[in-house]
Amino acid sequence: MLELKEIWKTFNAGTVNEKQALRGVSLTLNDGDFCTVIGGNGAGKSTMLNAVAGTWAVDSGSISIGGTDVTHLPEHKRAAYIGRVFQDPMMGTAPSMQIIENLALAARRGQRRGLRWSITKAEKSQYQKMLQNLDLGLEDRLSSKVGLLSGGQRQALTLLMASLKKPKLLLLDEHTAALDPKTAAKVLELSDRIVAESHLTTMMVTHNMKDAIQHGNRLIMMYDGKIVIDVSGEEKKKLTVPQLLELFSKVSGSDEADDKLLLS
Amino acid sequence: MLNFIGALPGAVSQGLIWGIMAIGVYITYKILDIADLTVDGSFCTGGAVFVVLFGSGANIWLALLAALAAGMLAGLITGLLHTACGIPAILAGILTQLGLWSVNLAIMGMKANVAINVTNQSNLEKLMVSLRFVQDVAAGRRPFYRHPILVVGVFSLAIIAVLYWFFGTELGSALRATGANPNMARAQGIDTNVGKVLGLMISNGLVALSGALLSQYQSFADSSMGKGAIVIGLAAVIIGQVVFGKLFHNFALKLTAVSLGAVIYYAVIQAVVSLSDINTNYLKLISAVIVAVFLAIPYWKGRYFSKAAKKGGAVHA
């Protein structure tokens, strides 16, 4: 479903701040894969997701989604294939617009937007039902401004928006990192549910090793702009945090990485 | 005082005309979150295009339409400077505005001002609004429905209706999303560059239309008629928000508030002029100070008053 071939990306090339963020990343996700991504700060996790989403152009390499080469497509065109939830709860929704308006915008992802009315009557009841399923008490607040919602509610809404128009690929970029533990757990559970229900191919960046092991069918770890660990299936199910740490120090050839990972 | 009351209908008419420009400013400043300085130039462009075309015998609606198109073209240029050339929005606006100074003079045949000959009765009859109609209606020489307040009022309502419809469509919502959160907009497949350019075009089209109406009203276009237009527009937006913000939540009403904001602004300016013997040269300074203060108030509120609230809370805890 997703194929990355030898992706390279350097920021601030030629300056003292030069940073090789991605150094030849290759990855293939199969249809329906739920892949968790872990790694320390600056390992390239979010950079990889942004490369896929098209936030900027990569220096070299190719990206294809569902067989379509998207390497040279701008961000808004790639959006036709991709649903995204960001780390910052403010980033995924338009705060000055109503809940229903946000949903209606998401429902037209990848479509031409013309001079038809932006929300149809049929949509309204459809959204109401969907929000009822989220169980956040939002079903009666369709015309509330999103700016009034809590961070957790916004992430749940963004998740719904990302999956409303079934994407070929769902990108979750530390989408629970800014939430309190209880809300984070709820949003994670919701993510699991949505991914399973719609059978979405998913990449989820997380800082939490336990979450990374518990969720999904595949786990990759990044270090220094490269994918250093890639486990899936039975092997991943049996994985424990200490094992993961050991695996990591073996690959990266450093013990101090333990702390770096745990602390980050 | 009598002086002021006598001048009020004229001030309200002018306020309504500037209100259309202010609605244009609202679209860029409030919806797109861009401070667009093109308007100081495109306002005059609209006036110049209208007066020259009308003077050469063109149909009045055609001349107004041409003014609208010229303004949209100015907005397109600012938009392309900003999106395709990567120039910050403010600077892009300033560049277009500066360029328009020459363009406007060229449109007017390299003269600083061009007049419509309203002593010619057949010319006068063709106009939609004119300063003279205010007096004519007052003297009973013309039916009340030719009063500029009524004509421009209805015209403004029609514009508000069209904008209300447009911003309710898929395309219009995409434009609002572009201004509200460009990241989200792109993630939902919206080309934010197209949104910005389109918004700037609509905005400057309205500004030019307003300029065309003003030059029609005062029966001349002047190369400096747009000077400080952005400040007047902002003043109208802010006054409208302060006075009607708590009452008006619907989008159409918010646009109406902007229009009324411009009316209040002109009424206040007229009051200052009529009731004091101030040199009118100081009006721009007064406008600038008023707008600066109103822009600063929300910031001061957030900075000083919320802190005080927190301190108070801590004491109680």
Side-chain angles (χ1 to χ4, degrees):
Chain A
M1 189 50 88
L2 171 71
E3 200 174 353
L4 302 180
K5 272 191 208 152
E6 277 292 310
I7 301 292
W8 288 78
K9 178 71 187 179
T10 304
F11 290 110
N12 306 316
T15 70
V16 281
N17 292 323
E18 180 169 304
K19 163 86 182 157
Q20 285 195 323
L22 295 177
R23 306 195 301 146
V25 172
S26 295
L27 175 72
T28 304
L29 290 189
N30 300 316
D31 190 17
D33 264 355
F34 184 166
C35 176
T36 55
V37 185
I38 54 172
N41 281 333
K45 311 180 298 288
S46 292
T47 313
M48 180 171 71
L49 252 61
N50 286 336
V52 173
T55 311
W56 22 253
V58 295
D59 297 340
S60 66
S62 75
I63 304 164
S64 71
I65 301 172
T68 316
D69 185 358
V70 299
T71 317
H72 302 291
L73 284 188
E75 193 178 5
H76 69 271
K77 288 220 172 109
R78 284 192 211 184
Y81 311 104
I82 301 172
R84 282 157 87 190
V85 186
F86 307 92
Q87 176 175 4
D88 182 354
M90 306 296 212
M91 225 161 134
T93 46
S96 57
M97 296 173 78
Q98 300 169 358
I99 293 178
I100 188 167
E101 288 177 323
N102 272 274
L103 285 165
L105 279 169
R108 285 158 183 76
R109 183 159 46 77
Q111 288 176 8
R112 235 182 71 87
R113 290 165 210 262
L115 293 177
R116 281 176 306 244
W117 200 246
S118 63
I119 308 164
T120 63
K121 273 206 181 115
E123 279 178 271
K124 201 173 168 183
S125 54
Q126 185 197 345
Y127 296 152
Q128 211 149 19
K129 246 177 245 155
M130 285 175 168
L131 287 171
Q132 213 150 21
N133 279 336
L134 290 193
D135 196 23
L136 292 163
L138 292 179
E139 59 272 17
D140 302 318
R141 296 177 61 189
L142 277 177
S143 55
S144 295
K145 297 271 159 74
V146 172
L148 300 170
L149 305 186
S150 69
Q153 286 174 324
R154 281 201 207 186
Q155 287 305 69
L157 181 65
T158 311
L159 205 51
L160 185 60
M161 285 165 62
S163 57
L164 198 55
K165 182 114 195 196
K166 195 182 159 189
K168 286 203 158 73
L169 183 68
L170 178 65
L171 301 179
L172 308 173
D173 189 359
E174 294 189 50
H175 66 311
T176 59
L179 308 175
D180 66 82
K182 209 173 142 196
T183 316
K186 201 168 172 187
V187 170
L188 258 182
E189 184 210 305
L190 185 68
S191 313
D192 266 346
R193 220 169 77 199
I194 287 177
V195 168
E197 272 169 14
S198 310
H199 188 71
L200 298 176
T201 309
T202 305
M203 262 212 277
M204 177 174 91
V205 172
T206 174
H207 260 129
N208 187 319
M209 289 211 191
K210 247 205 244 152
D211 286 345
I213 293 170
Q214 266 169 18
H215 299 266
N217 64 336
R218 190 165 166 189
L219 180 150
I220 58 176
M221 184 184 275
M222 295 190 72
Y223 176 74
D224 204 15
K226 279 187 277 197
I227 294 173
V228 289
I229 293 170
D230 184 346
V231 288
S232 54
E234 282 305 306
E235 195 189 347
K236 180 192 176 259
K237 270 187 202 155
K238 282 187 251 157
L239 211 58
T240 60
V241 173
Q243 271 175 344
L244 200 55
L245 284 172
E246 195 185 329
L247 213 53
F248 180 71
S249 37
K250 211 156 65 190
V251 178
S252 66
S254 130
D255 290 329
E256 61 184 328
D258 290 15
D259 305 332
K260 212 170 144 190
L261 250 178
L262 283 174
L263 290 173
S264 59
Chain B
M1 194 65 201
L2 273 176
N3 210 348
F4 171 58
I5 292 170
L8 206 52
V12 172
S13 306
Q14 254 199 65
L16 280 169
I17 292 173
W18 283 94
I20 294 170
M21 186 224 49
I23 289 173
V25 170
Y26 181 90
I27 290 171
T28 44
Y29 184 67
K30 280 284 176 184
I31 298 181
L32 280 183
D33 199 18
I34 289 176
D36 173 34
L37 299 183
T38 316
V39 296
D40 281 25
S42 57
F43 187 75
C44 174
T45 308
V49 166
F50 176 82
V51 170
V52 167
L53 279 180
F54 185 78
S56 69
N59 175 284
I60 180 169
W61 292 102
L62 205 70
L64 281 174
L65 208 65
L68 178 85
M72 290 180 86
L73 190 64
L76 175 69
I77 290 166
T78 302
L80 290 179
L81 285 175
H82 177 46
T83 57
C85 309
I87 298 170
I90 286 212
L91 194 52
I94 292 175
L95 290 175
T96 312
Q97 184 203 114
L98 182 69
L100 281 178
W101 176 265
S102 305
V103 173
N104 293 340
L105 282 171
I107 293 172
M108 295 191 287
M110 293 304 167
K111 283 181 286 189
N113 57 67
V114 181
I116 300 172
N117 183 5
V118 283
T119 46
N120 176 337
Q121 195 63 27
S122 77
N123 249 352
L124 186 64
E125 290 309 318
K126 280 188 214 147
L127 291 180
M128 199 173 105
V129 285
S130 170
L131 185 61
R132 291 171 181 243
F133 295 175
V134 178
Q135 297 143 11
D136 285 358
V137 172
R141 284 195 300 271
R142 244 171 237 282
F144 73 94
Y145 57 79
R146 293 301 302 272
H147 199 290
I149 294 183
L150 205 65
V151 174
V152 184
V154 170
F155 198 78
S156 301
L157 285 179
I159 287 173
I160 290 170
V162 171
L163 289 175
Y164 180 75
W165 164 76
F166 174 74
F167 282 102
T169 63
E170 291 174 352
L171 186 62
S173 306
L175 222 145
R176 282 190 289 147
T178 299
N181 183 351
N183 272 312
M184 173 269 194
R186 278 190 295 270
Q188 300 305 341
I190 294 164
D191 190 338
T192 49
N193 282 343
V194 168
K196 282 182 195 167
V197 172
L198 194 62
L200 284 165
M201 286 176 72
I202 296 171
S203 166
N204 281 290
L206 289 173
V207 170
L209 193 60
S210 167
L213 283 175
L214 185 71
S215 61
Q216 188 182 155
Y217 178 80
Q218 65 191 14
S219 77
F220 68 88
D222 186 293
S223 60
S224 65
M225 67 191 273
K227 205 166 219 172
I230 180 73
V231 177
I232 296 173
L234 286 176
V237 170
I238 294 162
I239 293 170
Q241 200 176 327
V242 169
V243 177
F244 303 104
K246 289 233 158 63
L247 280 160
F248 291 180
H249 293 291
N250 176 288
F251 182 67
L253 290 177
K254 278 184 184 169
L255 294 182
T256 311
V258 173
S259 176
L260 294 177
V263 171
I264 294 174
Y265 174 83
Y266 264 90
V268 170
I269 293 286
Q270 189 60 55
V272 172
V273 173
S274 315
L275 303 178
S276 68
D277 45 349
I278 188 171
N279 186 325
T280 48
N281 266 337
Y282 286 116
L283 286 181
K284 290 228 193 299
L285 178 63
I286 295 171
S287 305
V289 170
I290 290 173
V291 171
V293 168
F294 273 104
L295 283 175
I297 284 174
Y299 175 74
W300 288 338
K301 256 189 183 163
R303 195 179 160 90
Y304 301 109
F305 288 82
S306 70
K307 247 186 201 166
K310 262 184 215 155
K311 271 181 201 157
V315 171
H316 290 299

